[in-house]
Amino acid sequence: MGLRYVRVETGEHEGEQRGEHVTSQKRIEKRDRRVKQEAPLAPLALKESPLWDLISVRRKSMPPEFAELCERMFVSRNEESTFDFMGLCLDGWKALGNHKYPPAFCTAKAKFRNQARPNAPSSPELQELEALPWNR
């Protein structure tokens, strides 16, 4: 192994090297192994929101845009009851220009209404929900 410089008439150096560099290659291989081990971790975005367990509705049964809206609202939810929160989700959906409500979500909302006020008379809001086109 050695390094030799030969002076050329133009003033430049011309070099020649004989030998093998194995050490740096090993470092690269070790670094690649570490990166590959970290890759299989699941991103946090795929973690399902606790909202769907709370209201007993499958997220997959919701339109994706509606599910994302509800999840964003759930994170910043204040002290509203689950029934009131679900009403806010439907209001937000309607404000975005959507006229059809997801049936499973409305059914779950009606169950929470019955749990909150079991002997309450039928409210105008419930009559409005029952008359919606998704029920047909």
Side-chain angles (χ1 to χ4, degrees), residues 15-28:
E16 187 178 308
Q17 180 179 352
R18 295 182 191 152
E20 225 176 279
H21 292 283
V22 181
T23 313
S24 63
Q25 182 64 33
K26 287 182 181 179
R27 288 183 191 161
I28 291 172

Side-chain angles (χ1 to χ4, degrees), residues 22-79:
V22 181
T23 313
S24 63
Q25 182 64 33
K26 287 182 181 179
R27 288 183 191 161
I28 291 172
E29 288 174 1
K30 286 181 182 178
R31 189 178 316 131
D32 289 344
R33 240 182 286 143
R34 280 193 299 257
V35 171
K36 287 178 185 176
Q37 289 173 355
E38 294 172 4
L41 297 176
L44 293 176
L46 296 178
K47 194 173 186 181
E48 191 151 318
S49 172
L51 167 67
W52 308 112
D53 288 334
L54 175 68
I55 64 174
S56 302
V57 173
R58 288 186 3 212
R59 186 189 195 282
K60 292 179 182 179
S61 66
M62 300 291 114
E65 299 85 13
F66 180 75
E68 290 172 15
L69 171 72
C70 293
E71 288 171 354
R72 282 193 312 258
M73 291 176 69
F74 188 72
V75 171
S76 61
R77 173 182 154 183
N78 292 328
E79 298 296 320

Side-chain angles (χ1 to χ4, degrees), residues 83 86-87 90 104-113 125 129:
F83 176 77
M86 294 174 81
L90 294 174
F105 193 85
C106 293
T107 302
K109 185 176 186 295
K111 287 179 186 176
F112 276 98
R113 179 206 166 271
E125 182 186 45
L129 280 174

Side-chain angles (χ1 to χ4, degrees), residues 65-66 69-70 73 86-102 105-106 125 128-129 132-133:
E65 299 85 13
F66 180 75
L69 171 72
C70 293
M73 291 176 69
M86 294 174 81
L88 291 173
C89 290
L90 294 174
D91 291 344
W93 185 242
K94 187 174 183 180
L96 292 173
N98 299 291
H99 300 289
K100 283 184 94 176
Y101 294 119
F105 193 85
C106 293
E125 182 186 45
E128 183 181 316
L129 280 174
L132 291 175

